[in-house]
């Protein structure tokens, strides 16, 4: 079956691939600092590493524009919250992000411990494995999204995960190696034309792919996310429709003690025969399910990303989305 993406999908793919820039002294210093932090994290027990990473991220990010952006976006999405509550959720979000990064070197050990991961609706995984067609796992920056490749590998599925390369080539190389070690059997592919072509081939062969779908995409579909206008990448819906692949939403919830609950939910792909309409409806279905998960655990979502880029959220009238 021939696979297809919309006319502007090539622009979406190009914009998603952050090309590595010439290496500067700042890049080298950043890499040295990151390497030192990772070395310390590896030496610590996973609980201590997670706590340290969360504490550092909270203290640092809340003093930067990312922390202020998180507070601003929380207030725009949930206008009934007090400034104190917005700040509290923003701090918890930064903490969760730091924990996810600090847990990266420990992911193989986390997967090896059956007490750390609880799977919900895992019969959906078994059904996906028995299908002849491919499967697309979609997730958001919720809980610890770095678990996604390992979950598919744990289910004994050939997994191809999209990622966005960093602008710092040194950090990108080292982060990729850490992710590859954590992803076990998974293959990580850049969100660029070559990576998409590889994933298309994999899906046509009945294998699986995964991508995070909650970031702003400049050339994506216009629509609502958490009640505010923005643009969303439609690649998951496009590949599903034209490659006859099933979409499964993966929701990762952080539990106390570096434990996680991972829930799977099937997303119905619209197949009316109207290509643009089907892509829009399927992307909207993904957004609505992800919104509900975010509103249920707002402190675990990554609010510091510029999800509503270009909008002045401080003056925008807001209608809170329904859970």
């Amino acid at each position: 079956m021939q696979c297809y993406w919309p006319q502007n999908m090539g622009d979406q793919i190009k914009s998603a691939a952050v090309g590595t820039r010439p290496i500067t002294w700042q890049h080298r210093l950043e890499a040295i600092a990151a390497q030192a932090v990772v070395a310390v994290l590896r030496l610590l027990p996973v609980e201590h590493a997670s706590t340290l990473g969360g504490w550092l991220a909270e203290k640092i990010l809340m003093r930067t524009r990312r922390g202020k952006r998180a507070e601003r976006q929380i207030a725009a999405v949930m206008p009934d919250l007090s400034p104190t509550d917005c700040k509290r959720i923003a701090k918890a979000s930064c903490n969760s992000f730091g924990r996810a990064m600090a847990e990266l070197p420990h992911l193989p050990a986390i997967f090896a411990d059956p007490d750390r991961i609880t799977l919900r609706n895992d019969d959906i995984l078994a059904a996906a494995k028995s299908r002849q067609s491919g499967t697309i796992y979609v997730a958001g920056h919720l809980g610890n999204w770095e678990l996604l490749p390992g979950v598919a590998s744990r289910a004994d599925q050939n997994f191809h995960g999209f990622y966005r390369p960093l602008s710092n080539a040194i950090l990108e190389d080292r982060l990729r190696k850490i992710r590859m070690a954590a992803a076990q059997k998974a293959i990580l592919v850049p969100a660029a034309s070559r990576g998409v072509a590889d994933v298309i081939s994999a899906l046509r062969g009945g294998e699986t792919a995964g991508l995070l779908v909650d970031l702003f995409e400049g050339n994506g579909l216009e629509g609502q996310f958490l009640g505010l206008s923005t643009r969303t990448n439609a690649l998951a819906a496009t590949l599903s429709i034209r490659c006859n692949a099933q979409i499964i939403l993966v929701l990762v919830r952080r539990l106390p003690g570096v434990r996680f609950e991972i829930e799977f939910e099937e997303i119905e792909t619209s197949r009316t025969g109207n290509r643009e309409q089907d892509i829009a409806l399927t992307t909207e279905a993904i957004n609505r399910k992800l919104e509900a998960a975010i509103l249920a655990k707002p402190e675990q979502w990554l609010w510091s990303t510029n999800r509503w880029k270009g909008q002045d959220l401080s003056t925008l009238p807001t209608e809170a989305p329904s859970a």
Side-chain angles (χ1 to χ4, degrees):
M1 176 178 293
Q2 183 180 3
C3 294
Y4 166 86
W5 55 85
Q7 292 180 355
N8 68 340
M9 186 58 72
D11 294 332
Q12 290 189 34
I13 294 166
K14 290 178 183 178
S15 66
V18 182
T20 56
R21 304 167 184 170
I23 296 174
T24 66
W25 279 107
Q26 180 180 348
H27 290 161
R28 297 181 189 278
L29 291 175
E30 288 174 348
I32 291 172
Q35 186 173 8
V37 171
V38 170
V40 172
L41 293 174
R42 288 185 188 277
L43 293 175
L44 294 175
V46 61
E47 287 83 2
H48 294 172
S50 178
T51 300
L52 176 60
W55 182 82
L56 286 173
E58 179 182 327
K59 296 301 180 184
I60 294 172
L61 291 181
M62 289 301 294
R63 289 175 169 81
T64 69
R65 64 180 181 179
R66 288 182 174 271
K68 300 302 180 185
R69 178 194 295 153
E71 290 186 64
R72 187 166 59 250
Q73 294 187 154
I74 292 167
V77 170
M78 295 177 282
D80 293 337
L81 292 180
S82 68
T84 300
D85 285 335
C86 292
K87 190 179 188 74
R88 173 184 57 80
I89 294 174
K91 289 174 66 175
S93 170
C94 292
N95 187 289
S96 183
F97 167 72
R99 286 178 178 273
M101 295 300 97
E103 288 158 2
L104 257 174
H106 294 276
L107 286 189
I110 290 175
F111 278 110
D113 187 344
D115 294 331
R116 293 197 183 275
I117 296 180
T118 301
L119 301 182
R120 301 295 184 193
N121 299 336
D122 55 344
D123 57 311
I124 293 177
L125 285 181
K129 186 177 177 181
S130 66
R131 289 193 188 96
Q132 298 299 317
S133 58
T135 303
I136 302 170
Y137 292 98
V138 297
H141 290 79
L142 190 66
N144 188 339
W145 52 94
E146 298 288 352
L147 293 169
L148 179 58
V151 169
S153 297
R154 183 173 176 173
D156 196 26
Q157 295 176 307
N158 293 327
F159 179 86
H160 302 256
F162 284 109
Y163 74 97
R164 295 189 179 195
L166 301 176
S167 58
N168 185 328
I170 303 175
L171 281 180
E172 167 57 31
D173 179 65
R174 292 176 181 172
L175 180 59
R176 180 178 173 81
K177 289 178 181 177
I178 294 174
R179 281 176 165 160
M180 288 296 292
Q184 302 172 0
K185 299 178 183 178
I187 300 171
L188 302 183
V189 296
S193 298
R194 178 176 55 82
V196 172
D198 291 342
V199 170
I200 287 173
S201 177
L203 289 173
R204 293 177 67 182
E207 297 182 4
T208 67
L211 64 157
L212 300 171
V213 294
D214 58 344
L215 296 178
F216 175 84
E217 178 55 66
N219 293 300
L221 291 178
E222 289 190 32
Q224 297 279 310
F225 190 74
L226 289 171
L228 302 175
S229 297
T230 188
R231 290 180 175 270
T232 299
N233 193 311
L235 182 58
T238 302
L239 293 178
S240 173
I241 290 166
R242 295 302 177 181
C243 296
N244 194 30
Q246 174 67 49
I247 297 177
I248 295 178
L249 177 65
V250 182
L251 301 173
V252 182
R253 300 182 183 91
R254 180 177 294 278
L255 304 176
V258 192
R259 296 181 300 112
F260 304 92
E261 179 184 83
I262 304 177
E263 183 177 356
F264 305 93
E265 185 170 351
E266 291 192 56
I267 301 292
E268 183 177 354
T269 301
S270 176
R271 301 188 187 276
T272 67
N274 183 316
R275 185 190 65 205
E276 287 77 14
Q277 178 177 309
D278 286 341
I279 291 172
L281 289 174
T282 303
T283 301
E284 181 180 358
I286 295 171
N287 279 349
R288 298 296 86 81
K289 294 289 187 180
L290 190 53
E291 285 173 340
I294 292 171
L295 292 176
K297 294 286 184 181
E299 70 280 0
Q300 295 193 18
W301 190 57
L302 189 59
W303 289 95
S304 60
T305 64
N306 199 355
R307 185 62 179 94
W308 296 274
K309 188 175 182 179
Q311 293 207 46
D312 183 4
L313 300 183
S314 62
T315 60
L316 188 66
T318 308
E319 179 180 349
S322 57

